[in-house]
Amino acid sequence: MANNDSSYGVRLEAIKRIEDAEILNEILLNAENNEIIIYLIGKLSGNEILDDFLRTFNHEGIVEHIRKQEVLEVIACFNCHTDMKIEAIAGILNENVLENIALNDSEPKVRLHAARKITDEQVLAKLVLHDSDTEVRCLAISKVSDQS
């Protein structure tokens, strides 16, 4: 019923009653409905299958509904799709995670979005001096208050 019922509402209610992580993982890997995926991401945590899913999924309209910081951090740091990373960065509150992304992500677009949320002058100075992307460096320059 949780996998096959034609009604999304019935499937979601059935899923809410399942406690077996293996079954929930299987449902997650086969889910096509965004609301079911969002619910399962919220219910499952700290499990290898969920982490693998978060590293590879590319479903529009899901990341903006995720509130768990640890889930957003996995997506922002490890997802293979730039757009998913950028969506996750918007919800991240931990400045250390944002700094790590701004300094180390391979994609300039991702570094730029993380840098927009950085307030630490030392990190901004590192970006100004060492980032390979002109747009990231220009943004960092505009945010540094001591430009001597």
Side-chain angles (χ1 to χ4, degrees), residues 7 9 12 25 35-36 42 45 67 117 121 126 128 137:
S7 166
L12 185 57
N25 287 330
E35 290 183 55
I36 289 174
S45 63
R67 300 292 172 254
K117 296 182 76 173
E121 295 278 323
K126 285 180 187 178
V128 168
R137 287 194 315 274

Side-chain angles (χ1 to χ4, degrees), residues 11-24:
R11 283 195 320 270
L12 185 57
E13 284 306 311
I15 290 167
K16 287 179 180 180
R17 290 167 173 43
I18 298 171
E19 295 299 324
D20 185 315
E22 284 186 42
I23 294 171
L24 292 171

Side-chain angles (χ1 to χ4, degrees), residues 116-142:
R116 286 184 177 139
K117 296 182 76 173
I118 302 292
T119 57
D120 184 295
E121 295 278 323
Q122 290 181 327
V123 174
L124 292 169
K126 285 180 187 178
L127 292 172
V128 168
L129 295 172
H130 303 293
D131 198 274
S132 61
D133 185 73
T134 303
E135 196 172 359
V136 173
R137 287 194 315 274
C138 287
L139 173 75
I141 288 170
S142 74

Side-chain angles (χ1 to χ4, degrees), residues 38-53:
I38 292 165
Y39 175 79
L40 288 169
I41 288 172
K43 186 167 183 169
L44 295 166
S45 63
N47 108 22
E48 194 175 310
I49 291 176
L50 176 62
D51 283 350
D52 287 345
F53 176 81

